[in-house]
Amino acid sequence: MNKNNLQELVTKIQQKHHQDKGGKNASYIPYLASVPAQLSALAVVTAEGEVYASGDSDYGFAIESISKVATLALALEDKGSETVRRKVGDSPTGLPFNSVMALELHQDKPLSPLVNAGAMATTSIIEAKDKEERWARILDFQRQMASERVVLSDEVNESEQTTNFHNRAIAWLLYSAEHMFCDPMEACEVYTRQCSTLINTVDLATMAATLAAGGKNPISQKQVIKPQNIPHILAEMMMEGFYEKSGDWAYTVGLPSKSGVGGGIMAVVPNVMGIAAFSPPLDSAGNSVRGQKMVHELAHTLGLNLFLPK
Ligand code: GLU
């Protein structure tokens, strides 16, 4: 598909869905409830660094759970895949992202780095001498994968740090079972900050494109992630990236993806492109309703399902 056609397709799909109804903003984090529900954007960044975007694509929204992918990538760089697998786990829980029952069922081992428990454990294994260094390395890694525009929002962070009681409880449970590898409240606080950065849809598509391009950010041209770590990250995204609807997404779209309760979705087409969508209203699992429709339609139209026979 040539450049004009791809831009036309991105615009057409974003405009087709931008007034779709259904879903609700996340409300358990006060900031997220206040984001205008009508916002929507769709963006593609190719593995060669071409950018296509439509809608509110420069609006910075809270990255939330999508940050778990960047921290997992950094943990793999720091520790290697066998250590991450042994300490955190590698399998889907089949339960909601903040489930305590999932821990109960598995001797308090988180299983997946893409649920809250596993994400906090992953944050805790990042190499750092103290909290501020842990945070600085994680923020820097989000920026390297996406863009220098990624910033911490004090407003989102304040909203989350003052309401994250459930995550604090999970952090202590992990600690009591020896699945937490730094001070549990440090891990919870840094995890909460990593969820509180603002990213726009083009930069999120760049993050996805870095994963699509073997770990090299196609805009900055910098190799951010070792190529051998990419399959592990994409496997986790395919298994657990869409909360307990990850199976539906794999069945219908067939792309490793990650969503966040801020309304963002990123999807990776290995060696080809990163796709990102944003719109705040969520389905019951926490996935953007319009975002899913936009990514699904784009991927389907372009025949991008990884499992399609050639
Ligand atoms: N900061 C949110 C939490 O920990 C992120 C949840 C998400 O996007 O899944 O609850």
Side-chain angles (χ1 to χ4, degrees):
M1 175 169 273
N2 73 34
K3 290 184 180 185
N4 289 346
N5 292 351
L6 186 50
Q7 180 57 55
E8 263 173 40
L9 183 66
V10 167
T11 305
K12 188 178 119 203
I13 291 173
Q14 186 270 326
Q15 300 206 334
K16 175 173 165 193
H17 293 293
H18 88 282
Q19 286 183 324
D20 287 358
K21 300 280 173 248
K24 269 198 181 139
N25 284 32
S27 57
Y28 74 101
I29 297 169
Y31 173 91
L32 298 179
S34 70
V35 179
Q38 76 276 10
L39 291 168
S40 83
L42 179 62
V44 166
V45 174
T46 68
E48 291 75 38
E50 291 157 6
V51 179
Y52 305 91
S54 178
D56 304 296
S57 59
D58 54 9
Y59 182 92
F61 56 89
I63 191 169
E64 297 300 343
S65 209
I66 304 169
S67 69
K68 291 166 179 162
V69 175
T71 305
L72 167 61
L74 178 57
L76 290 167
E77 295 297 302
D78 276 3
K79 302 287 185 186
S81 60
E82 281 317 307
T83 301
V84 174
R85 194 178 190 189
R86 180 166 42 79
K87 292 193 160 175
V88 181
D90 61 2
S91 299
T93 68
L95 288 161
F97 64 95
N98 56 3
S99 175
V100 172
M101 190 164 53
L103 289 172
E104 286 275 308
L105 289 172
H106 303 100
Q107 294 77 45
D108 285 338
K109 187 163 183 194
L111 292 194
S112 166
L114 300 187
V115 296
N116 288 10
M120 286 189 278
T122 306
T123 298
S124 81
I125 61 174
I126 299 302
E127 280 172 17
K129 63 176 179 319
D130 59 23
K131 180 163 72 182
E132 291 315 317
E133 188 183 5
R134 191 177 306 281
W135 162 238
R137 291 196 67 222
I138 289 173
L139 175 62
D140 179 61
F141 210 74
Q142 287 188 15
R143 287 186 170 155
Q144 288 190 50
M145 285 182 74
S147 112
E148 294 292 320
R149 284 183 288 265
V150 174
V151 284
L152 178 71
S153 161
D154 291 333
E155 199 185 348
V156 181
N157 188 43
E158 164 84 10
S159 184
E160 300 214 21
Q161 300 283 0
T162 52
T163 53
N164 64 355
F165 311 114
H166 190 88
N167 285 342
R168 287 188 229 174
I170 290 174
W172 280 118
L173 279 177
L174 291 173
Y175 179 75
S176 76
E178 297 178 9
H179 292 307
M180 185 55 99
F181 306 98
C182 75
D183 174 83
M185 290 303 95
E186 174 180 331
C188 186
E189 184 179 337
V190 173
Y191 161 78
T192 304
R193 286 190 212 174
Q194 80 183 37
C195 290
S196 302
T197 58
L198 298 181
I199 190 166
N200 70 35
T201 310
V202 169
D203 292 342
L204 187 60
T206 305
M207 185 179 268
T210 298
L211 294 166
K216 182 174 175 179
N217 181 320
I219 306 284
S220 72
Q221 292 290 315
K222 194 173 164 215
Q223 187 74 38
V224 183
I225 302 167
K226 291 187 197 85
Q228 66 262 33
N229 287 335
I230 297 291
H232 303 302
I233 300 166
L234 299 185
E236 294 303 326
M237 290 170 70
M238 187 66 98
M239 288 187 289
E240 188 70 87
F242 257 61
Y243 308 112
E244 63 273 37
K245 294 203 176 161
S246 302
D248 297 301
W249 189 253
Y251 196 97
T252 55
V253 179
L255 290 177
S257 305
K258 183 73 195 89
S259 61
V261 296
I265 293 176
M266 72 168 173
V268 179
V269 189
N271 308 309
V272 180
M273 65 173 68
I275 305 171
F278 160 64
S279 193
L282 309 176
D283 68 14
S284 57
N287 304 304
S288 168
V289 171
R290 292 187 198 118
Q292 289 179 79
K293 289 188 189 172
M294 290 188 276
V295 176
H296 189 162
E297 187 164 337
L298 185 73
H300 183 75
T301 309
L302 296 175
L304 299 174
N305 187 324
L306 290 189
F307 306 124
L308 272 177
K310 285 278 175 253

